[in-house]
């Protein structure tokens, strides 16, 4: 609507407040969508003078990139941690099983 009237089209997404918060995994898609919108806005700003906040869009893109990386790193870290915990439980079970066998053989 703003374009048809010749009014400037502002970039209104703000993501910087998320940089200091705990991130939920469900936010990944949200940040990906904002990143795409910011990328499109920057491209449109090169095509038309109506897109006047390309610097804000660039900043939002960078912040989204950082947040996406953080979310992916956190997801990978939690998977790795769960895998290590599972392996540790498995090793603990084997150790107890071996100790029971040894104690049974000592009784004979």
């Amino acid at each position: 609507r703003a374009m048809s009237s010749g009014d400037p089209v502002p970039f209104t997404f703000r993501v910087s407040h998320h940089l200091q918060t705990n991130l939920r995994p469900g936010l990944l898609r949200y940040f990906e969508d904002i990143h795409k919108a910011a990328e499109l806005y920057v491209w449109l700003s090169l095509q038309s003078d109506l897109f006047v906040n390309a610097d804000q869009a660039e900043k939002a893109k960078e912040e989204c990139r950082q947040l996406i990386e953080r979310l992916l790193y956190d997801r990978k870290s939690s998977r790795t941690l769960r895998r290590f915990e599972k392996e540790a439980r498995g090793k603990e079970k084997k150790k107890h099983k071996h100790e029971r066998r040894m104690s049974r053989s000592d009784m004979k």
Side-chain angles (χ1 to χ4, degrees), residues 3 8-10 40-41 44-54:
M3 277 186 65
V9 180
L40 177 61
Y41 188 95
L44 289 169
S45 74
L46 298 172
Q47 311 303 314
S48 170
D49 294 336
L50 295 177
F51 297 86
V52 294
N53 300 117

Side-chain angles (χ1 to χ4, degrees), residues 18 21-33 67-79 82:
H18 288 289
T21 62
N22 289 332
L23 299 175
R24 299 182 325 272
L27 289 173
L28 182 61
R29 173 74 45 102
Y30 173 75
F31 293 128
E32 288 174 336
D33 289 344
L67 291 163
I68 290 167
E69 285 180 3
R70 210 167 102 197
L71 280 164
L72 293 174
Y73 177 79
D74 289 349
R75 181 182 286 177
K76 181 180 178 189
S77 295
S78 65
R79 282 183 186 158
R82 283 193 304 267

